[in-house]
Amino acid sequence: MPSRQVQCLCLSVILFGLAGKVFVGAQNTVSRPGVPAAKDADHEITRERSPEILNLITIVQWSPPEFAADMLITIADSTKVTEADWKKKLLQEAFHVATDCQYRIPQRAVGPYPTDTRAGYLAQAFLLKLDTLSLQCRAIQSMLPLDKGKARQLFSEVEKFKFPALSCGDGLVYEVSDFYKTAGKLFKEAFSSEEVRRGDHIRFLESLIEDISAPLQIVPVANLIRSLEMSRAQRESAVAEFAARLAKVSGDDRSFSSSMYSVGDEMGRLVHACNEQSVTTSELIRALRAYYVRHFGSSRCSDTLRNTGDTGLLPREVNEFNARVRALGEKKISEIGADEAKPSKIEGKVDVHFYWESAEAEKLMRDFKQLRFGSGRKPLTFAEMDTLQWKLSLREFLTRLSNWRQEDEKDSAEDYYHQKCNLFEALLSTLPIGPERDDVNRQFVNLLCEFDVKRAGRIEWFWHAKRLLPRMFGQAGGEESAKVRALLESSSNTVLYAYAQVWKTLLSQAPLKANASLPPSGKP
């Protein structure tokens, strides 16, 4: 199939997904569903299924899976798609497309480090929720009001968690809270009265408890057990199962330490909820003790040994546990002693890769600050920037920024890209609307198109690309907004082009031309 133009694609392909080899930029991991015969295509056009949206879906499906799934869900959630069955098909397609995302599970930063670091920008990119788990949870939540049974089926298809061990040098840990929030919504809304009477929703919760295998799952599961409505007997059973799993959970120190701050607090809330319902908590407290002793007495990272609130020889969490044991009068559960909380080994710390340390990067940042603040500390006003000298300085800065190449740096493609994008974004936050700002937008789009998302981090690329998109489609008006959208539409990047088409189509009543072309190069 030619990359320059989408010509006469059968509409059944639009609804069920393009074949993997046509899916530009997708990883070769999971094949797409088979394509129905072309003779059935005409039946897909109905009064509810407009050619405008069908054509938009075709364009969207040329994007790598993160972006295709994101846009398919956005289209399905829009008022432009009114037929329930069509919404469900689009959400199912998005769910399965998301299996090919570059990242399967989101991550979050572990320490108080600046955003201008390698781990810092990746953590920010994960907030876009363009990983497999986040997109699948989003599709399930959109499916829930349409088809409760289908939402539960999709949830059962989410891949079981596998958490590779993290080292002390890792600056990010896995984040699965969206999965358990989605599970909580299903518990509350996806079971019929008859299923609730049979206890199917409780068995659903118990299956989540049985699957606990890592420290980062403890807090969200404890939150579910505490907050979901259930009888005393049901909660007692859930707490007993949870305690049995907690007593056996073992993980690396990076994962344990990143969640230990909230484990004690959530356990305290769970114990309080149990006491209000006269649910026994002895085994839960005993299991928490075993969990703490196993991890505090294991190999620890040097930057997790002492934290805010630690006093004396023991960590704050151990002191709080001991205080709880004393307050509850649990005579059969002993306090945790200093010897039990002593690490068996102390290893390294997070490897923080700071930006703006190369000669060229440091000079560009210094020159930008001169443009922004002059010789003072307060930002220059628009009037102070409206001088010939300032505009000449801006032109010189843009030339130097444009000539800055990755080959000049020792950093990775992502590191170079983050720093250069940061400067363009800083300029856009500084300049008033006018020719100079238009020029920066143009150069920014050119930079986005140069980045090879096939070989490097796609969500990191999009963390900056989203700067040009409206946060909400309702905010997409105005002359500058129209200019930016025109830049995206004329770019050689299929993702920018597709988002521009979604932007335009979901706002505009004007029909999209049939068989609209992809960008000239078809680059993702």
Side-chain angles (χ1 to χ4, degrees):
M1 185 173 292
S3 61
R4 290 181 175 273
Q5 193 174 30
V6 182
Q7 295 179 335
C8 303
L9 287 173
C10 68
L11 296 178
S12 54
V13 171
I14 294 170
L15 292 173
F16 292 98
L18 300 175
K21 64 181 180 180
V22 179
F23 205 94
V24 178
Q27 294 172 302
N28 295 321
T29 53
V30 180
S31 59
R32 299 291 185 275
V35 177
K39 64 184 177 63
D40 297 328
D42 290 342
H43 299 298
E44 302 297 347
I45 299 179
T46 67
R47 183 167 53 188
E48 292 81 10
R49 300 184 182 186
S50 70
E52 174 191 20
I53 298 298
L54 289 169
N55 199 32
L56 176 62
I57 295 167
T58 306
I59 294 169
V60 162
Q61 288 181 310
W62 277 79
S63 297
E66 293 85 353
F67 314 117
D70 175 44
M71 288 185 275
L72 285 171
I73 296 171
T74 298
I75 294 168
D77 287 344
S78 76
T79 57
K80 293 278 188 174
V81 177
T82 57
E83 184 190 347
D85 284 345
W86 195 14
K87 284 180 179 287
K88 289 191 285 186
K89 285 185 178 181
L90 291 174
L91 292 171
Q92 285 179 260
E93 174 68 5
F95 180 93
H96 293 296
V97 164
T99 60
D100 280 350
C101 290
Q102 200 169 33
Y103 292 99
R104 305 201 66 79
I105 304 175
Q107 299 174 52
R108 57 180 172 82
V110 298
Y113 306 112
T115 299
D116 280 3
T117 61
R118 183 176 295 169
Y121 269 112
L122 184 53
Q124 291 295 313
F126 274 116
L127 295 177
L128 297 172
K129 298 185 182 296
L130 292 175
D131 56 274
T132 295
L133 182 63
S134 297
L135 287 164
Q136 288 186 334
C137 287
R138 184 176 156 204
I140 291 167
Q141 292 192 35
S142 290
M143 180 70 76
L144 185 55
L146 301 171
D147 190 326
K148 293 177 172 53
K150 179 60 67 175
R152 283 167 56 185
Q153 178 190 326
L154 291 178
F155 188 84
S156 71
E157 294 176 18
V158 174
E159 185 178 354
K160 296 291 184 182
F161 291 134
K162 297 176 183 178
F163 303 109
L166 301 175
S167 71
C168 289
D170 289 317
L172 297 126
V173 295
Y174 301 105
E175 170 59 66
V176 294
S177 57
D178 278 356
F179 175 81
Y180 292 103
K181 289 176 182 176
T182 303
K185 290 181 69 69
L186 293 176
F187 182 97
K188 296 174 183 177
E189 303 174 26
F191 292 87
S192 67
S193 300
E194 175 60 23
E195 288 172 323
V196 170
R197 187 190 65 77
R198 294 198 307 260
D200 291 354
H201 63 318
I202 299 299
R203 281 185 284 277
F204 170 73
L205 174 62
E206 289 172 345
S207 71
L208 297 173
I209 298 172
E210 291 169 3
D211 285 340
I212 295 175
S213 62
L216 55 92
Q217 295 170 281
I218 292 171
V219 170
V221 175
N223 179 272
L224 285 180
I225 297 171
R226 173 182 63 84
S227 61
L228 296 177
E229 186 176 339
M230 61 188 86
S231 69
R232 176 186 176 281
Q234 289 169 337
R235 200 178 311 277
E236 184 131 42
S237 175
V239 168
E241 177 64 27
F242 179 60
R245 296 302 304 166
L246 177 62
K248 299 176 182 178
V249 168
S250 180
D252 58 85
D253 184 58
R254 183 59 67 204
S255 299
F256 164 72
S257 295
S258 71
S259 60
M260 71 179 181
Y261 312 121
S262 48
V263 165
D265 291 340
E266 187 57 49
M267 286 297 173
R269 287 189 284 267
L270 177 56
V271 168
H272 178 73
C274 288
N275 289 338
E276 287 189 330
Q277 210 169 2
S278 299
V279 172
T280 180
T281 60
S282 297
E283 288 306 311
L284 179 62
I285 296 172
R286 197 187 314 276
L288 180 59
R289 186 188 195 283
Y291 174 78
Y292 276 158
V293 169
R294 180 182 303 111
H295 288 89
F296 280 117
S298 185
S299 177
R300 302 291 309 280
C301 301
S302 61
D303 57 352
T304 66
L305 294 178
R306 304 297 295 177
N307 298 285
T308 302
D310 288 353
T311 58
L313 297 175
L314 297 174
R316 182 193 71 181
E317 289 73 22
V318 172
N319 286 327
E320 290 178 348
F321 174 86
N322 289 342
R324 181 174 293 119
V325 169
R326 290 193 296 270
L328 294 175
E330 291 284 355
K331 296 181 180 179
K332 295 183 179 181
I333 302 176
S334 60
E335 297 180 24
I336 298 174
D339 288 344
E340 293 177 293
K342 183 179 179 180
S344 61
K345 182 180 179 181
I346 299 176
E347 298 186 305
K349 60 182 180 180
V350 171
D351 179 18
V352 183
H353 185 92
F354 292 99
Y355 288 163
W356 313 109
E357 295 195 339
S358 74
E360 187 63 11
E362 191 274 335
K363 186 178 189 315
L364 283 164
M365 177 55 78
R366 187 172 65 249
D367 289 348
F368 167 74
K369 289 180 178 178
Q370 179 68 29
L371 280 173
R372 186 73 181 97
F373 300 98
S375 58
R377 295 185 177 181
K378 292 183 179 180
L380 298 180
T381 65
F382 289 163
E384 290 172 318
M385 289 187 283
D386 191 20
T387 66
L388 178 59
Q389 182 57 49
W390 191 91
K391 291 181 180 180
L392 286 173
S393 297
L394 173 64
R395 182 57 47 203
E396 291 174 2
F397 176 79
L398 284 173
T399 300
R400 189 180 184 98
L401 181 59
S402 178
N403 291 334
W404 184 26
R405 294 285 180 260
Q406 185 194 338
E407 305 85 71
D408 303 329
E409 300 292 322
K410 295 180 181 179
D411 289 342
S412 69
E414 289 90 348
D415 294 331
Y416 159 79
Y417 172 75
H418 285 314
Q419 292 173 92
K420 194 165 184 176
C421 284
N422 183 286
L423 290 170
F424 274 114
E425 291 164 342
L427 283 171
L428 290 172
S429 298
T430 298
L431 295 171
I433 293 176
E436 290 82 10
R437 187 181 176 90
D438 292 342
D439 187 35
V440 171
N441 273 324
R442 179 184 57 78
Q443 291 195 41
F444 190 18
V445 171
N446 289 341
L447 172 62
L448 295 172
C449 292
E450 290 172 5
F451 190 76
D452 188 355
V453 295
K454 289 183 181 179
R455 299 180 181 178
R458 293 198 282 263
I459 65 171
E460 295 173 86
W461 170 79
F462 196 63
W463 171 250
H464 298 285
K466 69 162 181 50
R467 169 68 174 75
L468 298 173
L469 299 169
R471 292 187 179 181
M472 296 184 296
F473 287 125
Q475 299 174 337
E479 181 180 350
E480 185 187 24
S481 184
K483 289 180 180 179
V484 170
R485 196 177 72 194
L487 281 173
L488 301 183
E489 286 185 293
S490 62
S491 77
S492 61
N493 184 289
T494 56
V495 177
L496 297 180
Y497 177 82
Y499 273 102
Q501 295 304 313
V502 171
W503 176 357
K504 178 170 68 175
T505 306
L506 297 188
L507 275 176
S508 173
Q509 299 301 316
L512 192 64
K513 292 182 179 179
N515 296 324
S517 300
L518 281 169
S521 73
K523 286 175 59 179

